[in-house]
Amino acid sequence: MKKFTSVSDVKNLQEIIKKALQIKENPNSEPEKGKGKTIGLVFLNSSLRTRLSSQIAAQNLGLNVLTLNAAQEAWNLEFADGAVMNGDTVEHIKDAIEVLNQYCDIIAVRCFAGMKSKEDDVNESILSQFEQHAKVPVISLESATRHPLQSLADCITITENWKEERKPKVVLTWAPHIKPIAQAVGNSFAEWMQEMDVDFVIANPEGYDLDKKFTKDIKVIHNQDEALQDADFIYVKNWSSFDDYANMPEVKESWMLTGEKLENTNDAKVMHCLPVRRNVELSDEIMDGENSIIYQQAKNRIFSAQAVFSEILNELNSK
């Protein structure tokens, strides 16, 4: 593995899931693998699970970890090519990345969608610059359009919780929110589910269809109750409109997941990437109930990151 920004960077999904589950059984199985190497974790946005899980994963492999809260602790960054920097920005992203090249053997970056320019977000205006200018492997800790380490953790969690011979039915369902949220988690989960042996459908209100680039031919149902019928796993996540970019078309129906809505499922396990707005996106009874595997998902973020870091180190150590 030379980089990790989407599922396309994974040669064999089942193999990396298997590796992550082996790591989970013994997280300290490769304590010297990253010895003498440094990973730079660059956060342009807030983080809890991604930050902590990445640090734990890197330390388990013996990597030296540098964490930069770039939005608060670094100079104001300029991202535009050809910019005349006579305003508030102090350092160009190209220069910052070149310095990171000198300090780090791996660069991992978290950069949310700006939610202002659809073109900039769709074209990954920030992550693409890291990919262009970095001379070391780049790992996405979430970008404008994808969250691959989360999606790998989701695949691990589904695999752990499914022991039957038949394909599980997995439903990605939109949930309400108080403000516009990017499509990254939904996009990414849709991509990764297409590589899993599952029966996958998406449920969202009219006006909230995700980008077809990610959903392709996945069935999209605009009636939540219909979509949840016989579900084995329900992934709850909000996103704003893609067509009417970053806006929130009115939704009159109730889409918050409740215990009552689970009654027509196959006693479905409920997933969410966190953070979650309780009693807005899903109810307390779901969050705290026996069907929730949300905290298991959160723990698996360590092992998804560690599996990816280990694969990147295989590439670096082979040189």
Side-chain angles (χ1 to χ4, degrees):
M1 188 184 292
K2 296 183 179 180
K3 66 183 183 73
F4 184 78
T5 60
S6 76
V7 70
S8 63
D9 294 316
V10 176
K11 291 182 179 178
N12 187 315
L13 177 54
Q14 290 304 313
E15 283 299 313
I16 200 165
I17 291 172
K18 180 180 178 180
K19 176 169 185 165
L21 290 171
Q22 290 171 341
I23 289 170
K24 187 171 185 176
E25 291 181 2
N26 185 7
N28 297 307
S29 58
E30 299 178 305
E32 301 292 319
K33 195 168 194 177
K35 186 176 181 179
K37 291 185 171 59
T38 297
I39 184 169
L41 306 177
V42 181
F43 291 90
L44 295 169
N45 303 98
S46 302
S47 177
L48 189 153
R49 280 148 297 278
T50 300
R51 181 191 309 269
L52 298 182
S53 62
S54 297
Q55 289 177 335
I56 293 167
Q59 291 166 356
N60 285 346
L61 292 165
L63 280 159
N64 180 41
V65 182
L66 300 179
T67 302
L68 176 65
N69 301 313
Q72 293 85 32
E73 299 171 354
W75 299 111
N76 288 343
L77 292 169
E78 176 62 60
F79 295 97
D81 282 336
V84 178
M85 293 173 56
N86 58 359
D88 293 336
T89 57
V90 178
E91 183 161 31
H92 200 282
I93 189 64
K94 290 191 289 187
D95 303 321
I97 294 170
E98 185 53 47
V99 171
L100 289 168
N101 285 330
Q102 313 303 314
Y103 297 164
C104 304
D105 300 282
I106 304 168
I107 299 173
V109 59
R110 182 178 179 91
C111 48
F112 289 171
M115 305 291 284
K116 295 179 180 179
S117 167
K118 183 175 184 177
E119 181 180 5
D120 283 350
D121 290 345
V122 167
N123 292 324
E124 294 283 8
S125 61
I126 298 176
L127 180 63
S128 63
Q129 296 202 52
F130 278 85
E131 292 189 276
Q132 179 182 352
H133 300 296
K135 298 182 176 71
V136 300
V138 172
I139 295 171
S140 171
L141 301 178
E142 188 172 3
S143 68
T145 65
R146 293 180 173 97
H147 197 348
L149 282 178
Q150 177 65 57
S151 296
L152 176 54
D154 300 336
C155 293
I156 295 165
T157 307
I158 290 171
T159 300
E160 280 185 307
N161 285 278
W162 190 250
K163 305 303 178 186
E164 298 187 32
E165 292 297 322
R166 66 177 177 86
K167 291 182 181 181
K169 179 179 178 180
V170 180
V171 180
L172 169 64
T173 182
W174 181 91
H177 208 284
I178 65 168
K179 65 179 182 179
I181 300 294
Q183 299 95 25
V185 172
N187 290 341
S188 195
F189 188 70
E191 276 194 323
W192 286 70
M193 285 300 101
Q194 290 171 77
E195 301 299 320
M196 292 279 282
D197 188 22
V198 300
D199 176 13
F200 180 58
V201 298
I202 300 174
N204 58 256
E206 297 278 1
Y208 285 91
D209 287 2
L210 294 167
D211 185 354
K212 291 289 287 185
K213 172 184 175 182
F214 301 99
T215 61
K216 295 184 171 60
D217 296 325
I218 295 168
K219 186 176 183 180
V220 179
I221 301 174
H222 295 132
N223 181 301
Q224 189 184 44
D225 291 334
E226 178 186 343
L228 295 181
Q229 184 74 37
D230 298 326
D232 298 296
F233 295 91
I234 303 171
Y235 199 114
V236 178
K237 187 69 181 81
N238 173 265
W239 58 85
S240 56
S241 176
F242 178 73
D243 292 332
D244 185 15
Y245 194 69
N247 287 312
M248 300 171 65
E250 182 182 4
V251 177
K252 295 181 179 180
E253 303 85 359
S254 174
W255 280 74
M256 184 181 75
L257 191 66
T258 62
E260 183 179 354
K261 292 186 178 185
L262 290 185
E263 290 179 3
N264 292 327
T265 72
N266 285 323
D267 198 28
K269 301 296 186 183
V270 179
M271 305 171 69
H272 191 290
C273 62
L274 296 177
V276 63
R277 288 183 180 263
R278 284 173 175 254
N279 301 309
V280 174
E281 295 177 77
L282 47 77
S283 59
D284 279 338
E285 64 178 334
I286 297 294
M287 277 295 300
D288 301 326
E290 60 184 15
N291 291 73
S292 172
I293 53 173
I294 292 169
Y295 301 130
Q296 183 181 350
Q297 267 179 282
K299 184 172 183 178
N300 284 338
R301 290 296 308 278
I302 298 171
F303 312 116
S304 66
Q306 193 166 333
V308 168
F309 296 171
S310 179
E311 289 296 300
I312 295 285
L313 286 169
N314 284 343
E315 180 73 20
L316 292 177
N317 293 337
S318 67
K319 294 180 179 179

